Amino acid sequence: MLDDLGQERPLQTHVAATWDVERKSVRWLTIDFVAEPGRKYVLEFGEDVTRKPPSKAVVVAQESSVQIATGVLSVEFSAAGSSALRNIAADFNGDGR
């Protein structure tokens, strides 16, 4: 999936139906991604299309919390107490905020 700036966008896919028993020819494909209003997207397909490998998550375990950062998503969990989720933040436009 590419956006109108030519940047690859993260997405999840699931083959819902195929034309053949071997499941080699896709008939229906479900796609899940975060679309931004006003943007345009194109789905590339074929044997010559490859996806970038996902960025590795960074996990920081401290005495009072565990922080996980994937680049776009940052989550902080409490190591103890009644509330497990402390903070969640998404950086969809890549500005670091």
Side-chain angles (χ1 to χ4, degrees):
M1 167 92 48
L2 300 176
D3 64 17
D4 50 5
L5 301 175
Q7 298 296 312
E8 186 174 333
R9 303 298 301 200
L11 77 153
Q12 294 179 331
T13 62
H14 173 73
V15 176
T18 60
W19 290 102
D20 55 346
V21 175
E22 295 84 22
R23 298 187 55 84
K24 292 184 178 181
S25 180
V26 177
R27 183 175 187 178
W28 293 99
L29 180 69
T30 60
I31 301 170
D32 186 19
F33 73 104
V34 177
E36 297 176 34
R39 303 292 300 272
K40 294 181 181 181
Y41 303 91
V42 62
L43 181 64
E44 293 184 314
F45 62 94
E47 294 180 8
D48 59 333
V49 175
T50 59
R51 293 174 68 179
K52 290 190 306 189
S55 61
K56 293 186 178 182
V58 176
V59 179
V60 178
Q62 299 175 341
E63 189 173 317
S64 63
S65 68
V66 175
Q67 298 172 344
I68 302 171
T70 66
V72 173
L73 185 66
S74 297
V75 182
E76 182 179 7
F77 297 97
S78 177
S82 60
S83 178
L85 183 61
R86 275 193 185 171
N87 188 32
I88 187 167
D91 183 14
F92 292 120
N93 63 4
D95 67 356
R97 294 188 269 161

